[in-house]
Amino acid sequence: MKPMVKKVLAGIAAVSALASVVAGREQPSFAPAPTPKVDTRLQTREDIDLAKLEARVDEGARIDAFAPKNFSPVVPPQANAREGRREAPALPFRYIGKMVDGGKLAVFLANGADSFTVTEGERVGDYRVDQITEAEIRFTYLPMKTKQSLPL
């Protein structure tokens, strides 16, 4: 590169650096419009009794918003005859489907994450399958010899 070209390029770089410094110091030629002041404070009316509102704040402080709540219906206490008699637990099974296997009706049941197939006379945990019809499955809870049914 010739020395003359180097001097011209150096001059252009110096002028552009000087122009960027001068351009950064300029003031805007217009002034922004002043924004109107807005009163954001709560406006009160003269007919409101603030003492009543403060009393409600004190009452609310006694209530725990995060306390556990019971939404189950209130069950009235039963007669003494029922207290002595225990009942079998609810059936833990859920009906999934049915099929005919070798001329016998087999039913698919689910108990939580487990699923299995049962036919009449089989034992499933503490339960025995007594009868399978088109409308229901009849079980016997073996520890208490209690009959229960599961509708299909």
Side-chain angles (χ1 to χ4, degrees), residues 3 17-18 31 34 41 53 61 70 73 98 113 130:
L18 183 63
R41 294 178 292 175
L53 293 176
N70 184 4
K98 61 184 173 182
D130 294 330

Side-chain angles (χ1 to χ4, degrees), residues 88 128 130 138-141 144-149:
R128 182 181 63 226
D130 294 330
R138 291 193 185 136
F139 293 93
T140 299
Y141 181 61
M144 297 178 68
K145 307 285 190 248
T146 306
K147 306 276 186 193
Q148 294 176 305
S149 65

Side-chain angles (χ1 to χ4, degrees), residues 55-73:
R56 286 186 183 169
V57 170
D58 293 339
E59 289 174 11
R62 290 184 293 217
I63 299 172
D64 184 9
F66 300 103
K69 295 189 178 5
N70 184 4
F71 293 104
S72 62

Side-chain angles (χ1 to χ4, degrees), residues 32-38:
T35 58
K37 301 255 181 192
V38 177

Side-chain angles (χ1 to χ4, degrees), residues 99-106 119:
M99 71 173 193
V100 178
D101 184 26
K104 291 180 78 174
L105 185 61
T119 58

